[in-house]
Amino acid sequence: MKKRSGGGITKPPVHLITVGQIAVLGPLLLIGCLLFQGHVLGAASGAATELVGRAYFGYYAFQYIGAQKAHQVRRAMMQGQLGKFVLVAVMFGLLFVSSWKINPIDVFTGYCVSWMLGVYMSARVLDWKFNLRFTG
């Protein structure tokens, strides 16, 4: 963990969430290639859109830590949120205007599965790192 000058507060390991999502979604998509050949490209595209947006937000949102850097924390959170929104909107736009024959339902299913997995992974990483006891 990288420490920034924030009173000894360690930077949360948000990269582990993206790594965990890739580790779970990769084999699922490979199995999906065997079972649902025509739908995997759309699901993988939706999942990749969510992964890129989450990684972008995690990188920018947690650059600064500590009460003394509250203004920088707020600005970084806003930059991360706006950047994620624009990035996801552009990626969805490019997917739907591309010449690929993908089903929008497959794309949104992949996005939602990746999002739910990201929420679960976030809770698990926080529980592991900071010893917070989430129920469930």
Side-chain angles (χ1 to χ4, degrees):
M1 308 312 136
K2 291 184 181 178
K3 280 193 177 188
R4 302 279 172 122
S5 59
I9 301 172
T10 59
K11 184 177 177 182
V14 293
H15 66 283
L16 292 179
I17 298 166
T18 304
V19 170
Q21 282 180 290
I22 292 170
V24 172
L25 289 173
L28 284 178
L29 290 172
L30 288 175
I31 292 169
C33 281
L34 300 173
L35 302 175
F36 310 104
Q37 294 171 359
H39 302 281
V40 174
L41 180 61
S45 301
T49 301
E50 198 279 334
L51 279 169
V52 169
R54 182 181 299 273
Y56 182 89
F57 177 77
Y59 174 76
Y60 277 100
F62 297 105
Q63 284 183 337
Y64 305 102
I65 295 176
Q68 294 176 346
K69 297 185 178 191
H71 180 67
Q72 291 171 318
V73 169
R74 185 185 63 80
R75 192 173 68 223
M77 285 280 207
M78 289 175 58
Q79 180 181 4
Q81 185 178 15
L82 179 64
K84 178 182 178 180
F85 179 77
V86 169
L87 193 59
V88 168
V90 166
M91 288 180 77
F92 272 133
L94 290 174
L95 277 174
F96 294 129
V97 300
S98 70
S99 61
W100 294 349
K101 302 287 185 197
I102 56 174
N103 187 350
I105 293 175
D106 297 336
V107 173
F108 288 118
T109 300
Y111 185 89
C112 290
V113 167
S114 182
W115 179 79
M116 288 187 292
L117 182 61
V119 169
Y120 177 78
M121 294 296 293
S122 298
R124 292 297 128 208
V125 166
L126 287 174
D127 184 32
W128 167 73
K129 172 67 178 128
F130 298 107
N131 226 5
L132 304 172
R133 293 292 164 211
F134 291 103
T135 58

